[in-house]
Amino acid sequence: MASISLKIYSAALKTRTNVNVIIPTLLPAQDGMNKREHEFSRFYETHGCYPVLYLLHGTYGDEGDWQRFSRIEDYARHHNVVVVMPYGENGAYRNAKSGKDYEVYITEELPKVIQWMFPVSKKREDTYIAGLSMGGGGAVRLGLSHPEIYGYTIGLSADFGLITENVKNNEFTVWSHAFEGVDLDADETLNSYKLAEKAMTEERNRTRLYLACGTEDFLYQENCRFHEYLDEIGYEHAFSTREGNHNWDFWDSEIKKVLDWLPLTPIEQELGF
C-alpha cells in the first residue's frame, strides 16, 4: 500500500485541510520473487479504477486516527480498495453557519479531488462511506441523504441523536459551533430516522446499510432503536452486535468485517492463491 498525506485548500471549508489516502500498489507476489524480469507494467496497466471508501473519524479525532489505531492499511491491501480519511474537526460532518460546509466538502468537493488525483471509480456501486461514533452518525446521514453517490453506507457505534441532544440541553459542547442557528427539532436533514423513511420511497437508489455496536457501548441502545426502526419500515440492512465497548478494539475488528461485507475482490483471489 502507498500511504499519502495531502494538504489541500477546500473551497467548501474556506481553509486548508488534511486528508490521508491509502492506495493499493504492487506487491512482491505480483512481481515474482524468483524472476529477474520485472512485471510492474502489467500491474499498473490493469489496475486503473479502484473502489473507494471514505472513512470518517469521531469526536476529538483527525485524519490519522484510523491508520494509528487500526489495521486499516492491511485490510485495504487485502481487499484492493482505496481508503480516503479526511479531517472533520468536531463538526458532525454538516454544513455550518460559520461557513465550514462539511457536507458539501465530503460529498461533493473531496470526491472530485480524489477522482482527479487517483485511479478510483466514479460509480456509486464502487463508492462507500463509513465512520465511527460522530463519524458513524455522519456517514449514515450522508449516505442516506446522497444515495446517488454512495452505494454502501456503514455506521460503527454511530450517533443517532446523542450529539444533538447534548447541544440542545447545554450552553456549550464541543459540537455547538456546528449547530449554531439550527432548529434541532425541525431540521430533518439531521434526523437519520426521517432520512431512512424518505429513502423507502426511492428504492432504486437506496444505499445499502451496515450498522454495528458493542453491547457495552454507551450508544448501544441508541443503535438498537435505529436498527428496530429500520426493521419496522422495511429498510433491509445488516446489524452486527457483540460484546464490545466504544473503543478501537471493537472498531478495528468490525472494519475488517465491513470490508468482507462490501463487494470487493480479495487480492489473493486476483493473484490466484
Side-chain angles (χ1 to χ4, degrees), residues 148-168:
E148 74 284 358
I149 300 175
Y150 307 108
Y152 295 78
T153 295
I154 300 97
L156 308 182
S157 304
D159 158 61
F160 293 114
L162 180 68
I163 288 178
T164 52
E165 283 302 309
N166 267 277
V167 172
K168 194 187 311 183

Side-chain angles (χ1 to χ4, degrees), residues 48-169:
C49 205
Y50 286 102
V52 57
L53 169 65
Y54 292 89
L55 193 54
L56 310 182
H57 65 74
T59 303
Y60 305 117
D62 62 33
E63 73 283 354
D65 281 11
W66 280 99
Q67 286 176 280
R68 287 197 300 271
F69 305 128
S70 80
R71 292 178 59 197
I72 187 61
E73 286 193 42
D74 187 45
Y75 305 148
R77 176 201 61 80
H78 174 72
H79 287 87
N80 255 348
V81 62
V82 171
V83 182
V84 178
M85 295 157 284
Y87 177 48
E89 298 185 79
N90 294 330
Y93 302 101
R94 64 174 311 278
N95 297 335
K97 187 177 180 180
S98 65
K100 290 193 173 184
D101 292 337
Y102 270 104
E103 180 165 347
V104 173
Y105 172 63
I106 296 294
T107 63
E108 298 180 39
E109 186 178 17
L110 182 59
K112 290 188 182 299
V113 172
I114 297 302
Q115 291 163 10
W116 177 65
M117 288 186 172
F118 301 104
V120 299
S121 173
K122 296 181 180 180
K123 298 176 181 177
R124 72 177 293 273
E125 60 265 31
D126 295 330
T127 305
Y128 324 127
I129 189 166
L132 64 87
S133 196
M134 177 189 75
V140 171
R141 184 174 55 79
L142 295 179
L144 289 171
S145 298
H146 301 277
E148 74 284 358
I149 300 175
Y150 307 108
Y152 295 78
T153 295
I154 300 97
L156 308 182
S157 304
D159 158 61
F160 293 114
L162 180 68
I163 288 178
T164 52
E165 283 302 309
N166 267 277
V167 172
K168 194 187 311 183
N169 296 325

